[in-house]
Amino acid sequence: MSNLEVSIEEFLSSAEEILPDSSYDLVKRAFDVSNQNHKDQKRLSGQPYIIHPVNVAHIIMKDLGGQDKIIAAALLHDVVEDTHYSHDMMIKDFGLEIATMVKGVTKVSQIKNKTKDILLIENVKRMLIATIQDPRVIIIKLADKTHNMRTLTFQPPEKQVRIANEVLNIYAPIAGRLGIYKLKSELEDLAFQALDSESYKKVKDLVASKKTERDLHIEHVILRLEKWLGESKIPAILEGRSKHFYSIHKKISTKEKKLDEIYDLRAIRIITNEVQDCYAILGIIHTNFTPVPGRFKDYIATPKSNLYQSLHTTIISTDGKPIEFQIRTEEMNNYAESGIAAHWGYKEGKYNQLEQRFIDRWKEQMRFFTENPTANIQDFFSDFSKELHEDEIVAFTPRGDMYEFPKGATVLDFAFRVHTDIGLHTKAAKVNGKIVPIRTELSTGDQVEILIEKNAKPSPIWERILKTPHARQKLRQYFRKLQDELKKQGGVEFVKPAPSGNIAISDRDIVQIHRSKKKSERESKPKKPVNILVGGYKDILVRLANCCSPIPGDEIIGFITRGSGVSVHKKTCEVAGGFSDLKRLVNVRWDGIHKPVPVSIEVKAYDRPKIFLEIVDSISKTDTNILEAGASSAGEGTMIARFLIEIEHLDQLEEILEYIKSIKNIISVERIKNS
Ligand code: MN
């Protein structure tokens, strides 16, 4: 991170050096106008004001490779806002393109009766709208914020906090979404330092305390690698790099990891010429070190949605600690550090397919965001960062239509994104041609085919499987509607487990149940494990019968007990079938999401190595908790395994049973009575 400011002379001479003559002339003219108009103004540091626009322009020119027009706009970015020089004058002197960029970053002046928060939101929205027209506006703003953050200590403490919050919540996420990691890391670290100097210092010290040891080791690995690469005649530049403090802080505090457990704390970046060299280098690394399984990622074959491309792999080094490698070409490295700015800077208006897609998606997000009214600043911040996941996943339909999702989204989210009706009737899904559970997490590049069935119905456990707000909302709508319909039909509809006609529940019964509920609550305060509607009524004390242990999704009936509410049985339960007092039977129905219920299953199989592990695996891959597990030999080469597992819904149990059935050498699998 460079906190150095450049002087006017340094800026002008490097501009003269870098830019072609005609470009330099434009930049110099913009500098002169800015310098002239800001001449009586000073920064809080006491320096002449012009130092600020000069440094903003320098960041764009040097760090992001911007060309003449955006550099000129950066030099002029505060002129209209802070001086008498008007937008019209700028159009006359510099043309519409530059003047429009400047207008995009210009704040609206204080409007009366508006709070600071509202004003901030309005200004950010205004700028985002301008960004839709010319994406370079946001790059100027990010450079502007970067220089402001570098000189933040001159501001009064209260203002420091406000600016740092704004940067952490709005500008750093934008930089991440646009792939401009160079500015994102710096903005985050500076804001982190301003907002929580204590934690900042802690992380910094922590990293420093192990730095020498770490650096020595990295250097050693680099030397060995350079030798092998030299022997293979693969041109490459290797450099050790460390993660920025804020991201270490986030990993330590949110994932409760120790410093040693952070995989990419120690990383080596390798930059080479050709794409094929990247894979050759990967091969050399994997042959000579021990790779960590599951850590290899090919962002070259499937770039991140912010255009990031690279190979990632992690190895266990000779000191037993992980080292991450990032392998990429120089062009990819440009994208990795400057993101879309690697392109907006110079090749204006001409984008390749990937870039065009990216820009369209960005515009769509910004439109959504600027068109929706925002209640308060907290909502604004949180919606904004949710909307701008930098790690988006891109998945495709078999026809090649592309959809983007936040990390962690599942195949079921995909179904709902394609169409709500498809989501609601999802039966199964294929990813890259293979049938997978609908809870499977999407990865970038996946081709997803949703298999629907007209009669398939959504399950309440889907609420846990869905990760996107849009899809969850649709699912909730469905269940709300269903409930309304059932209510209209009259909630109290009675079952007839025995062939004896309809039975009705009287108000007196309900009152009785309520009373008994209160009484028992006084005594033992029972937890409410399940939500069950009794004759359409919520909040009636229910108990799941031990004889048949029903789970959500089972067809059930209720039996009004004397003094302890309603006991709930499976409809097929033999005990319930034997009830003679039919007046006490009542219609009950599962409602909403439930706490998991313990369920026993028994698997019979021909014994062979690893079969038990495969069964455990099938259970675990549905995110199901195993409470108890055991197996015993059953003679003649067969075995019996029993599991006590936590089930939220019948659908989940059926999914597990299906998986187990598909394992080789399984004879039978069934749900049994809990012992
Ligand atoms: Mn500024």
Side-chain angles (χ1 to χ4, degrees):
M1 179 191 339
S2 116
N3 276 1
L4 292 175
E5 280 192 320
V6 294
S7 66
I8 295 168
E9 293 71 33
E10 281 169 311
F11 169 71
L12 287 176
S13 68
S14 68
E16 199 168 7
E17 195 180 303
I18 296 171
L19 302 171
D21 287 352
S22 61
S23 296
Y24 177 72
D25 291 346
L26 173 66
V27 167
K28 179 69 171 48
R29 206 152 57 78
F31 167 79
D32 288 338
V33 168
S34 184
N35 193 24
Q36 178 61 30
N37 283 284
H38 284 302
K39 72 173 187 299
D40 297 328
Q41 297 168 343
K42 287 217 180 324
R43 297 215 90 205
L44 288 174
S45 61
Q47 289 170 304
Y49 193 85
I50 187 68
I51 283 294
H52 169 63
V54 157
N55 274 277
V56 174
H58 190 258
I59 291 171
I60 287 172
M61 179 177 75
K62 267 294 239 260
D63 295 344
L64 303 176
Q67 296 283 292
D68 51 4
K69 284 181 186 150
I70 187 173
I71 298 172
L75 285 165
L76 294 164
H77 82 270
D78 276 334
V79 167
V80 176
E81 191 175 318
D82 295 341
T83 78
H84 293 298
Y85 189 86
S86 71
H87 177 62
D88 290 337
M89 287 159 85
M90 196 174 288
I91 297 177
K92 216 172 109 248
D93 290 345
F94 294 96
L96 191 61
E97 192 181 340
I98 290 176
T100 308
M101 271 191 263
V102 171
K103 196 177 175 199
V105 287
T106 302
K107 279 190 245 160
V108 287
S109 45
Q110 306 280 332
I111 305 164
K112 269 186 192 152
N113 302 328
K114 297 234 164 142
T115 64
K116 276 212 168 73
D117 285 354
I118 297 288
L119 209 63
L120 167 68
I121 294 174
E122 280 183 9
N123 276 316
V124 171
K125 282 191 175 178
R126 251 180 52 93
M127 178 199 62
L128 294 176
I129 292 166
T131 300
I132 295 170
Q133 285 154 8
D134 188 341
R136 286 174 299 179
V137 167
I138 191 66
I139 295 179
I140 299 175
K141 200 71 193 177
L142 289 172
D144 179 34
K145 290 292 166 187
T146 304
H147 186 243
N148 285 343
M149 287 306 291
R150 286 178 187 172
T151 51
L152 191 66
T153 46
F154 295 106
Q155 298 282 355
E158 207 188 286
K159 213 172 165 196
Q160 286 189 25
V161 170
R162 198 165 53 87
I163 296 173
N165 258 319
E166 191 185 317
V167 161
L168 204 57
N169 288 300
I170 295 177
Y171 295 101
I174 291 178
R177 182 66 181 80
L178 297 176
I180 313 175
Y181 286 108
K182 217 184 244 177
L183 298 192
K184 178 188 185 252
S185 336
E186 185 176 348
L187 286 172
E188 280 185 343
D189 273 358
L190 290 169
F192 176 34
Q193 191 178 13
L195 290 171
D196 186 355
S197 58
E198 218 169 279
S199 302
Y200 177 85
K201 199 179 166 310
K202 244 200 210 144
V203 174
K204 199 177 164 185
D205 290 348
L206 196 61
V207 172
S209 70
K210 306 208 172 166
K211 192 170 188 308
T212 348
E213 180 196 338
R214 192 171 57 233
D215 283 358
L216 276 175
H217 197 81
I218 294 264
E219 212 166 292
H220 177 67
V221 172
I222 288 180
L223 280 175
R224 283 168 71 193
L225 245 177
E226 272 173 345
K227 189 174 142 270
W228 294 323
L229 292 176
E231 283 164 7
S232 316
K233 298 205 165 49
I234 299 174
I237 300 166
L238 285 76
E239 57 187 34
R241 59 173 278 277
S242 62
K243 230 174 157 46
H244 70 290
F245 296 143
Y246 184 65
S247 66
I248 294 174
H249 168 71
K250 264 203 313 202
K251 282 202 177 170
I252 293 177
S253 56
T254 61
K255 295 188 181 161
E256 292 178 350
K257 290 199 169 183
K258 290 197 196 113
L259 198 63
D260 282 347
E261 294 166 356
I262 299 175
Y263 274 122
D264 41 6
L265 183 65
R266 308 196 308 168
I268 294 173
R269 182 171 297 160
I270 305 175
I271 295 165
T272 184
N273 290 353
E274 305 289 331
V275 172
Q276 71 218 45
D277 294 336
C278 295
Y279 290 99
I281 293 170
L282 179 77
I284 290 173
I285 292 171
H286 279 187
T287 328
N288 291 287
F289 297 102
T290 311
V292 179
R295 295 282 308 173
F296 169 64
K297 291 199 187 87
D298 187 347
Y299 294 119
I300 292 181
T302 46
K304 287 194 192 181
S305 65
N306 61 14
L307 307 176
Y308 180 87
Q309 286 191 294
S310 194
L311 296 178
H312 287 193
T313 191
T314 303
I315 57 130
I316 295 297
S317 179
T318 43
D319 64 351
K321 287 175 189 161
I323 296 181
E324 189 192 64
F325 286 94
Q326 303 172 340
I327 312 160
R328 52 178 84 140
T329 65
E330 183 138 19
E331 195 193 352
M332 292 173 195
N333 193 46
N334 267 341
Y335 273 122
E337 300 211 309
S338 310
I340 197 65
H343 217 157
W344 285 346
Y346 41 100
K347 235 199 274 166
E348 281 154 13
K350 282 206 164 177
Y351 305 121
N352 67 31
Q353 202 188 352
L354 205 64
E355 290 167 333
Q356 191 58 52
R357 229 180 228 175
F358 171 81
I359 288 165
D360 291 346
R361 168 82 176 138
W362 163 258
K363 288 181 176 175
E364 183 192 312
Q365 281 181 311
M366 288 308 103
R367 231 169 256 136
F368 167 84
F369 205 71
T370 49
E371 281 163 12
N372 283 317
T374 319
N376 62 52
I377 191 101
Q378 265 71 39
D379 287 353
F380 185 74
F381 281 169
S382 91
D383 287 358
F384 199 78
S385 46
K386 260 185 227 144
E387 185 64 23
L388 292 189
H389 294 284
E390 57 185 278
D391 278 335
E392 282 203 321
I393 286 153
V394 186
F396 302 86
T397 66
R399 271 179 28 208
D401 296 334
M402 182 183 85
Y403 294 94
E404 276 161 327
F405 299 90
K407 224 177 177 172
T410 61
V411 166
L412 192 59
D413 284 299
F414 187 96
F416 274 88
R417 177 71 71 80
V418 175
H419 196 281
T420 305
D421 279 343
I422 292 184
L424 290 170
H425 292 99
T426 300
K427 181 75 189 154
K430 278 185 188 174
V431 169
N432 306 325
K434 255 175 62 186
I435 295 265
V436 298
I438 53 173
R439 72 179 70 241
T440 307
E441 280 191 13
L442 295 168
S443 309
T444 284
D446 278 348
Q447 194 193 67
V448 185
E449 185 181 350
I450 302 296
L451 309 172
I452 58 170
E453 202 179 271
K454 230 170 86 192
N455 298 324
K457 285 201 176 69
S459 160
I461 57 165
W462 285 10
E463 175 122 15
R464 271 216 340 185
I465 296 177
L466 291 170
K467 297 289 148 58
T468 52
H470 161 87
R472 296 167 72 124
Q473 198 190 333
K474 295 291 179 199
L475 183 72
R476 266 183 238 131
Q477 262 170 21
Y478 169 86
F479 282 116
R480 222 175 294 134
K481 219 174 116 200
L482 192 74
Q483 196 152 330
D484 288 348
E485 274 164 18
L486 283 167
K487 253 183 216 150
K488 254 184 245 151
Q489 288 168 14
V492 190
E493 146 223 348
F494 289 96
V495 289
K496 32 179 181 177
S500 56
N502 283 356
I503 12 161
I505 193 170
S506 70
D507 287 346
R508 197 177 51 91
D509 288 330
I510 295 291
V511 170
Q512 244 179 13
I513 298 164
H514 268 291
R515 261 199 212 125
S516 62
K517 172 189 164 197
K518 284 207 181 100
K519 189 178 157 217
S520 71
E521 259 177 5
R522 266 202 309 272
E523 282 163 2
S524 63
K525 282 209 172 168
K527 267 188 266 163
K528 204 176 163 212
V530 287
N531 299 316
I532 290 178
L533 297 179
V534 176
Y537 293 85
K538 253 183 187 165
D539 291 333
I540 289 177
L541 179 69
V542 294
R543 195 168 54 78
L544 297 178
N546 285 329
C547 48
C548 55
S549 310
I551 57 174
D554 276 334
E555 293 212 42
I556 44 175
I557 57 163
F559 183 76
I560 303 168
T561 65
R562 291 174 204 277
S564 55
V566 173
S567 78
V568 173
H569 296 257
K570 279 164 69 176
K571 271 192 181 168
T572 53
C573 173
E574 283 169 23
V575 176
F579 289 145
S580 53
D581 190 354
L582 296 182
K583 270 188 229 136
R584 293 188 164 272
L585 288 173
V586 59
N587 189 46
V588 290
R589 192 156 51 76
W590 301 102
D591 182 38
I593 293 280
H594 306 266
K595 282 205 184 118
V597 183
V599 171
S600 300
I601 59 171
E602 185 179 273
V603 188
K604 289 193 185 121
Y606 296 108
D607 208 356
R608 64 169 167 82
K610 289 203 178 152
I611 188 160
F612 187 72
L613 280 182
E614 285 174 33
I615 300 170
V616 171
D617 246 20
S618 309
I619 299 172
S620 307
K621 76 177 172 194
T622 62
D623 284 338
T624 302
N625 227 355
I626 300 178
L627 300 171
E628 287 168 33
S632 54
S633 160
E636 292 174 21
T638 64
M639 58 99 91
I640 290 181
R642 288 196 186 89
F643 298 89
L644 186 63
I645 54 182
E646 283 193 317
I647 294 291
E648 273 176 89
H649 193 274
L650 187 64
D651 294 343
Q652 181 188 357
L653 179 64
E654 281 174 356
E655 195 183 353
I656 293 170
L657 298 185
E658 279 308 308
Y659 282 143
I660 296 178
K661 271 183 215 158
S662 70
I663 298 172
K664 221 176 115 191
N665 296 123
I666 295 290
I667 301 166
S668 69
V669 48
E670 57 185 353
R671 172 176 169 190
I672 57 169
K673 252 178 82 169
N674 289 356
S675 50

